[in-house]
Amino acid sequence: MKFSKATDYALHTMLFLTAATPDKPVGVQLLAEKQKVSPTYLSKILTKLVKAGMIESITGVNGGYRLKRNWEDISFLDIIHAIEGSASLFDCSFDHGPDCPIQRVVLEAEEKMEEHLRNKKMSALVRETNIVF
């Protein structure tokens, strides 16, 4: 199983924003420099995070992005779903209905992984690792 690079950048961006002062917007240029990625590409990822309601865009001279909703509640799964969507990673190619034994095993594994990612909060990671932005 592999997540896209966009998800990697989104997770790191949210880590940086969670570690930054919540009220102070962080510019896309700085976020892009930290990750060695194009600001244009990162802007597309930031747009998805804005649409998901996790961050907000602040315009103006001191503008940028900052956390919007209760940042303590943002989980890894929230971020992954904002970028990747919530579709199953596996789609059975045989036409034998929803009772496919292979699909049941894979879906059970996905549910366990999602539960783990849902319980991992970005704020806890920042506290555990003492990351400073």
Side-chain angles (χ1 to χ4, degrees):
M1 164 179 11
K2 182 174 176 155
F3 291 117
S4 68
K5 280 302 250 182
T7 295
D8 179 25
Y9 294 131
L11 288 166
H12 282 89
T13 295
M14 292 301 291
L15 178 68
F16 294 141
L17 291 176
T18 302
T21 305
D23 293 334
K24 182 182 173 196
V26 179
V28 67
Q29 189 67 39
L30 180 58
L31 291 167
E33 286 172 9
K34 283 282 214 186
Q35 299 181 71
K36 297 178 178 51
V37 65
S38 155
T40 304
Y41 179 61
L42 189 60
S43 290
K44 293 176 185 177
I45 294 166
L46 289 163
T47 298
K48 289 184 177 185
L49 296 171
V50 168
K51 286 182 181 177
M54 289 182 228
I55 63 173
E56 62 183 346
S57 174
I58 308 300
T59 57
V61 176
N62 295 318
Y65 294 88
R66 67 179 178 201
L67 298 175
K68 183 177 179 183
R69 67 180 183 139
N70 187 348
W71 61 275
E72 289 282 341
D73 295 335
I74 298 173
S75 73
F76 275 63
L77 187 62
D78 293 330
I79 300 162
I80 292 167
H81 278 175
I83 305 301
E84 302 282 347
S86 59
S88 176
L89 299 172
F90 181 77
D91 188 25
C92 184
S93 59
F94 288 97
D95 188 20
H96 50 91
D99 296 326
C100 174
I102 301 295
Q103 188 153 357
R104 273 199 315 258
V105 170
V106 174
L107 289 178
E108 182 182 323
E110 282 183 20
E111 288 172 9
K112 288 180 180 180
M113 180 183 70
E114 284 194 356
E115 180 182 342
H116 178 75
L117 294 170
R118 186 179 298 109
N119 291 326
K120 292 296 179 184
K121 307 296 182 193
M122 194 56 70
S123 58
L125 181 64
V126 169
R127 281 193 299 274
E128 290 167 8
T129 57
N130 295 319
I131 291 177
V132 178
F133 182 72

